[in-house]
Amino acid sequence: MFMLAMRSVRQRPGRFLATLLAAFLGAGIIMTFNSLYDTAGQPGVDPVSSDTLTTSASVVGGYGTLLVFFAVASTLTVIVRHRAGELELLRCSGATPGQIRRMVVGESVAVALIGAVLAIGPAMLGGRALLDVFRDSGQVAQNVDHSFGVVALMSGVDITLVAAAGAAFLAVRRATRRRRQRGSRARTFLACAALGVGAASVISTFAFSATDEALMATPAYGAILLSVGFALLAPRLLKGVLDRLPLTGASGWLAVRNLRQRVDHLSGILMSLILFTAVSVATLYMQGVESDAMEASGVVRTVDAKNLQTLNLTVVGIIVVFVCVMLVNSLYAATTYRGREFGQQRLAGASPGQVLGTVGVEGLILTAVGMFFGTVAALAGIIPFTVVRSDSVLPHQGLGIWLAVVAIASAATVGTSLATARRVLRTPAVEAVDLAA
């Protein structure tokens, strides 16, 4: 099965491009920040610099690890689901479910290893640039030199390979399993637990005073947990919205019909949108409220305050990049596999413009649903923090941050869908149907 996996990778490398990109970025981010551990462990590094470097590596490295798994998992889930016919053919040919799982896991690990190796060079440059930022801001002493050692290298490669293997195993297991009731119950339980803990964390914000250093932690984690709960319920949320969506016209009706049929396939994309919106909006607005409060009080920022601001902005930047990659990868894979569907629609009388219009409406609906639930989770953390920190109900930053997040999410979702669909439509309708048959 391993030889079959390597043969599949060599024969159809384009299929694994999305996984390669996710592994490359994931390993690069993990190695970039974990190189700060190697830097902090050098002889002669002062305690303040060491604490700054270690804290940054711990916080962002933890986020990076979760995002790597989530990015690879969402990409592989889309790819494996669209390979259901191929996997079923292998089963009919005598392959056991265990052999199929080993083949898919082998493919994913091989591609992830290539991505991790390619990321070593950029990670070295990224770690050096990140250290320069800390030195320029005074958070790290000027005499501290960058080091890229065993911690960065092993953590990047090991975490990426484990994430690829685990995500591939779960994706193919879900695709080859006939009964999903138990998995659905577990997903619902985890979603309810995340929503409950998130709500409790948000409410506990009122137990802090405006000057407590840990004030931002509870609403931020609460917003993240609420967004995770909504993300786990993504298929149900999307289905509930579609059942109540009064769209008219050929494109609108067909878009809703297509989305209803592909709810499970699109859940990963909706999860990305919800998490992206909630974490980005909550973090940026709360950091804005914190900065305004510090400026109004006239208090000089400490090293810890600078570290917190740097971490917040860095985490948001990582999330923006990763979620955009996840959206682009998942949407590209999902839309590419719709060649036969588009061909059938054109043979039935639809023009290329009507097909693109349907795809555009689908993207807008997904974006709107993801932005709505993500914004709800973000507001659940922003409002308590703002009330305690500034005695206002809403931040004074206005809608600018939210509109920027909406613009990025819309461009990634609708833009990728339309661009990929336009490329797929270049294939003649009859040829597209025959090739996918």
Side-chain angles (χ1 to χ4, degrees):
M1 277 296 162
F2 180 76
M3 297 300 297
L4 183 59
M6 296 303 298
R7 179 184 177 186
S8 178
V9 174
R10 288 195 299 268
Q11 288 182 343
R12 304 183 68 179
R15 170 192 291 171
F16 304 98
L17 183 60
T19 306
L20 177 66
L21 182 58
F24 172 79
L25 288 174
I29 290 175
I30 291 174
M31 287 189 286
T32 294
F33 282 92
N34 282 346
S35 69
L36 300 182
Y37 280 121
D38 295 313
T39 303
Q42 294 183 101
V45 177
D46 62 280
V48 175
S49 298
S50 178
D51 182 65
T52 298
L53 294 172
T54 303
T55 302
S56 302
S58 300
V59 175
V60 184
Y63 274 107
T65 300
L66 293 175
L67 288 171
V68 168
F69 184 85
F70 187 67
V72 176
S74 61
T75 302
L76 286 173
T77 298
V78 173
I79 294 174
V80 170
R81 279 176 174 167
H82 286 286
R83 294 176 63 187
E86 174 189 339
L87 299 181
E88 185 63 26
L89 180 61
L90 288 174
R91 292 184 63 182
C92 294
S93 301
T96 65
Q99 289 174 323
I100 294 175
R101 283 195 291 269
R102 287 193 292 273
M103 182 193 73
V104 176
V105 170
E107 294 173 354
S108 303
V109 170
V111 174
L113 180 59
I114 296 173
V117 172
L118 293 176
I120 294 176
M124 290 180 177
L125 298 177
R128 191 175 300 277
L130 186 61
L131 180 61
D132 290 339
V133 171
F134 282 117
R135 288 191 297 204
D136 293 341
S137 63
Q139 297 166 256
V140 174
Q142 293 293 328
N143 62 345
V144 176
D145 294 325
H146 181 256
S147 175
F148 189 93
V150 176
V151 175
L153 183 62
M154 296 304 297
S155 63
V157 174
D158 291 349
I159 291 174
T160 303
L161 295 183
V162 170
F169 177 82
L170 293 177
V172 73
R173 183 172 181 266
R174 189 182 299 115
T176 56
R177 190 173 51 186
R178 297 185 180 273
R179 291 188 177 182
R180 301 184 180 182
Q181 186 175 2
R182 182 179 300 177
S184 178
R185 286 201 298 264
R187 189 188 189 104
T188 302
F189 173 79
L190 291 175
C192 292
L195 292 173
V197 176
S201 181
V202 166
I203 293 173
S204 67
T205 305
F206 295 102
F208 292 87
S209 66
T211 57
D212 284 335
E213 293 184 356
L215 174 61
M216 191 184 296
T218 53
Y221 283 122
I224 293 173
L225 288 173
L226 289 174
S227 66
V228 170
F230 287 141
L232 290 172
L233 295 175
R236 295 185 181 182
L237 296 177
L238 181 58
K239 187 177 183 300
V241 171
L242 294 175
D243 290 341
R244 296 166 177 80
L245 198 61
L247 277 182
T248 59
S251 295
W253 180 86
L254 188 58
V256 172
R257 178 179 176 274
N258 290 340
L259 290 174
R260 282 174 179 160
Q261 292 180 341
R262 299 166 56 233
V263 165
D264 290 336
H265 289 197
L266 297 172
S267 60
I269 298 171
L270 188 57
M271 291 170 67
S272 302
L273 285 168
I274 293 174
L275 292 171
F276 166 64
T277 304
V279 177
S280 301
V281 172
T283 305
L284 291 175
Y285 272 108
M286 283 191 283
Q287 183 58 55
V289 171
E290 176 67 22
S291 299
D292 290 346
M294 293 286 291
E295 184 177 351
S297 64
V299 177
V300 179
R301 288 186 178 181
T302 63
V303 174
D304 291 337
K306 292 181 179 179
N307 288 346
L308 180 61
Q309 182 177 6
T310 302
L311 288 175
N312 285 336
L313 297 178
T314 303
V315 167
V316 171
I318 291 174
I319 291 173
V320 168
V321 172
F322 246 88
V323 171
C324 285
V325 171
M326 285 189 287
L327 286 174
V328 171
N329 282 354
S330 300
L331 285 167
Y332 177 82
T335 308
T336 299
Y337 281 101
R338 298 177 67 184
R340 184 181 186 184
E341 174 190 337
F342 294 159
Q344 290 173 335
Q345 292 175 4
R346 292 163 65 187
L347 291 177
S351 66
Q354 289 174 321
V355 175
L356 288 175
T358 301
V359 173
V361 174
E362 293 174 7
L364 289 174
I365 294 174
L366 276 177
T367 304
V369 174
M371 296 300 297
F372 174 78
F373 288 103
T375 302
V376 170
L379 286 175
I382 292 172
I383 292 176
F385 176 78
T386 306
V387 169
V388 176
R389 191 69 176 95
S390 65
D391 294 329
S392 299
V393 177
L394 293 174
H396 299 299
Q397 279 71 27
L399 293 176
I401 295 174
W402 185 80
L403 291 175
V405 173
V406 170
I408 294 173
S410 301
T413 306
V414 180
T416 302
S417 298
L418 290 177
T420 308
R422 186 182 296 275
R423 186 186 66 82
V424 173
L425 287 173
R426 293 175 183 172
T427 304
V430 176
E431 183 179 344
V433 173
D434 290 338
L435 287 175

